[in-house]
Amino acid sequence: MDAVFSIPDALWQACIDFHGHACGGLAIGYQASRYVMELFAMEQPCVDEEVVCIAENDACGIDAIQLMLGCTLGKGNLLLRLRGKQAFSFYQRETGQSLRLVLRATPEKSREERLRWLMQSAYRDMFDVKPALSPLPELARIFPACRCAGCGETTAENYLRVHAGQYLCLDCYPQYKRILD
């Protein structure tokens, strides 16, 4: 068995168990989470929305962030701003601290060698620490729901649009496009 898969770190093993396998993407999220835990002096995952993460990708590393930091889509403290980058902004509500971790270029290697490199590298050397791109997001809200006049499905009001005096979900709302070629 490869040494990377037998690292005696209970958190790494928990990430593998949660995600389903060990991979480079999971290692990126694991290392980013370790770094944030140090920078925010966290000893355990947050219970509610004490820490917020805005992930700029929807890749494997997010599973490590969910498990290790307690940032989840369901609680509203994991937000996606899809840009295809291995970059994550983190906010600590209590202290007001915020930062953005951006993965530095990694060496070209096979999958196994890259995973080994990601797990053996110091997380401080893997990421650039930059200012967060946006202000701290507001606390998650629960919106009233209404029935879509098109499909009849119940939809949170912040995802409804008014068309011809009727509430329509985003799937039923006719798109208005003006494209000039």
Side-chain angles (χ1 to χ4, degrees), residues 103-120:
L103 182 69
R104 294 179 180 151
T106 59
E108 291 293 323
K109 297 179 177 287
S110 71
R111 287 179 67 142
E112 294 78 21
E113 291 171 333
R114 184 169 188 261
L115 175 57
R116 186 176 299 107
W117 181 86
L118 288 165
M119 291 302 296
Q120 292 174 349

Side-chain angles (χ1 to χ4, degrees), residues 1-8 12-13 16 22-23 27 112-120:
M1 179 182 263
D2 191 297
V4 171
F5 296 96
S6 61
I7 291 174
W12 173 240
Q13 187 58 53
I16 294 169
C23 64
E112 294 78 21
E113 291 171 333
R114 184 169 188 261
L115 175 57
R116 186 176 299 107
W117 181 86
L118 288 165
M119 291 302 296
Q120 292 174 349

Side-chain angles (χ1 to χ4, degrees), residues 83-156:
R83 297 296 186 264
K85 298 178 181 182
Q86 289 292 347
F88 313 91
S89 292
F90 295 97
Y91 306 81
Q92 191 173 46
R93 288 193 186 279
E94 186 177 312
T95 64
Q97 187 177 2
S98 66
L99 57 94
R100 182 172 177 248
L101 295 182
V102 180
L103 182 69
R104 294 179 180 151
T106 59
E108 291 293 323
K109 297 179 177 287
S110 71
R111 287 179 67 142
E112 294 78 21
E113 291 171 333
R114 184 169 188 261
L115 175 57
R116 186 176 299 107
W117 181 86
L118 288 165
M119 291 302 296
Q120 292 174 349
S121 296
Y123 49 80
R124 290 175 202 88
D125 297 333
M126 295 173 59
F127 296 93
D128 288 322
V129 180
K130 299 180 173 188
L133 293 178
S134 57
L136 173 68
E138 67 178 274
L139 288 168
R141 288 194 264 165
I142 299 174
F143 290 91
C146 298
R147 188 169 302 279
C148 170
C151 65
E153 295 175 359
T154 303
T155 307

Side-chain angles (χ1 to χ4, degrees), residues 15-176:
C15 289
I16 294 169
D17 293 344
F18 180 72
H19 183 63
H21 63 270
C23 64
L26 188 65
I28 292 166
Y30 170 79
Q31 295 288 40
S33 296
R34 289 181 61 214
Y35 202 2
V36 168
M37 289 176 81
E38 176 186 296
L39 294 170
F40 285 0
M42 294 176 66
E43 295 182 15
Q44 59 190 21
C46 62
V47 175
D48 196 14
E49 294 183 56
E50 303 89 357
V51 172
V52 176
C53 172
I54 298 177
E56 296 183 35
N57 65 74
D58 58 356
C60 302
I62 293 175
D63 283 354
I65 290 168
Q66 289 183 95
L67 182 94
M68 293 175 66
L69 302 179
C71 296
T72 69
L73 290 169
K75 283 193 295 192
N77 63 336
L78 173 59
L79 305 169
L80 301 179
R81 182 180 180 268
L82 299 179
R83 297 296 186 264
K85 298 178 181 182
Q86 289 292 347
F88 313 91
S89 292
F90 295 97
Y91 306 81
Q92 191 173 46
R93 288 193 186 279
E94 186 177 312
T95 64
Q97 187 177 2
S98 66
L99 57 94
R100 182 172 177 248
L101 295 182
V102 180
L103 182 69
R104 294 179 180 151
T106 59
E108 291 293 323
K109 297 179 177 287
S110 71
R111 287 179 67 142
E112 294 78 21
E113 291 171 333
R114 184 169 188 261
L115 175 57
R116 186 176 299 107
W117 181 86
L118 288 165
M119 291 302 296
Q120 292 174 349
S121 296
Y123 49 80
R124 290 175 202 88
D125 297 333
M126 295 173 59
F127 296 93
D128 288 322
V129 180
K130 299 180 173 188
L133 293 178
S134 57
L136 173 68
E138 67 178 274
L139 288 168
R141 288 194 264 165
I142 299 174
F143 290 91
C146 298
R147 188 169 302 279
C148 170
C151 65
E153 295 175 359
T154 303
T155 307
E157 74 177 6
N158 59 316
Y159 288 100
L160 292 168
R161 301 293 182 264
V162 177
H163 178 72
Q166 295 186 315
Y167 291 110
L168 297 175
C169 70
L170 296 176
D171 293 325
C172 293
Y173 184 75
Q175 295 298 313
Y176 177 68

